[in-house]
Amino acid sequence: MTGPEISHEEIQQEIERTRERLGETVEELAAKADVKARAQAKAADVKTQAQAKAADVKTQAQAKATELSGQVRRSQVVQRRWPLAVAAGVLVAASVAVWRWRKK
């Protein structure tokens, strides 16, 4: 023979490596072919992202509500007008009551 001789053991090792690569390739193809499992995995990812986003938005909304609530409490305009608004509401309610009473 003119080329280097390959031993029986080397051939067996090459066959084993080829089998391993082929097995990995088959597993990859099977995973790509399993549409249901891929869809479920994608749905789980989207659900996790949505939950994280919802929690973040909730936290931001609570912080903003707390901030605005504090601003309203501190507002002197609201504090001064509050008794006036109550008086106006009582006046409107009394007017409606008198109007209904006279209408009978």
Side-chain angles (χ1 to χ4, degrees), residues 24-67:
E24 291 170 2
T25 303
V26 168
E27 288 176 8
E28 290 173 6
L29 289 173
K32 285 185 178 182
D34 192 0
V35 175
K36 182 178 178 181
R38 288 177 35 210
Q40 288 173 341
K42 181 66 174 175
D45 287 344
V46 169
K47 180 180 176 183
T48 302
Q49 290 174 355
Q51 288 172 336
K53 183 67 174 174
D56 187 36
V57 168
K58 180 181 177 184
T59 302
Q60 289 176 356
Q62 288 174 337
K64 189 66 173 176
T66 302
E67 178 186 336

Side-chain angles (χ1 to χ4, degrees), residues 1 3 15 62 72 90 94 98 100:
M1 288 196 186
I15 289 172
Q62 288 174 337
V72 168
V90 169
V98 169
R100 286 184 140 200

Side-chain angles (χ1 to χ4, degrees), residues 7-24:
S7 70
H8 179 66
E9 291 176 10
E10 290 174 336
I11 292 173
Q12 284 297 106
Q13 289 175 352
E14 182 62 30
I15 289 172
E16 284 302 315
R17 284 192 297 267
T18 302
R19 283 182 182 162
E20 287 177 16
R21 285 193 308 255
L22 183 59
E24 291 170 2

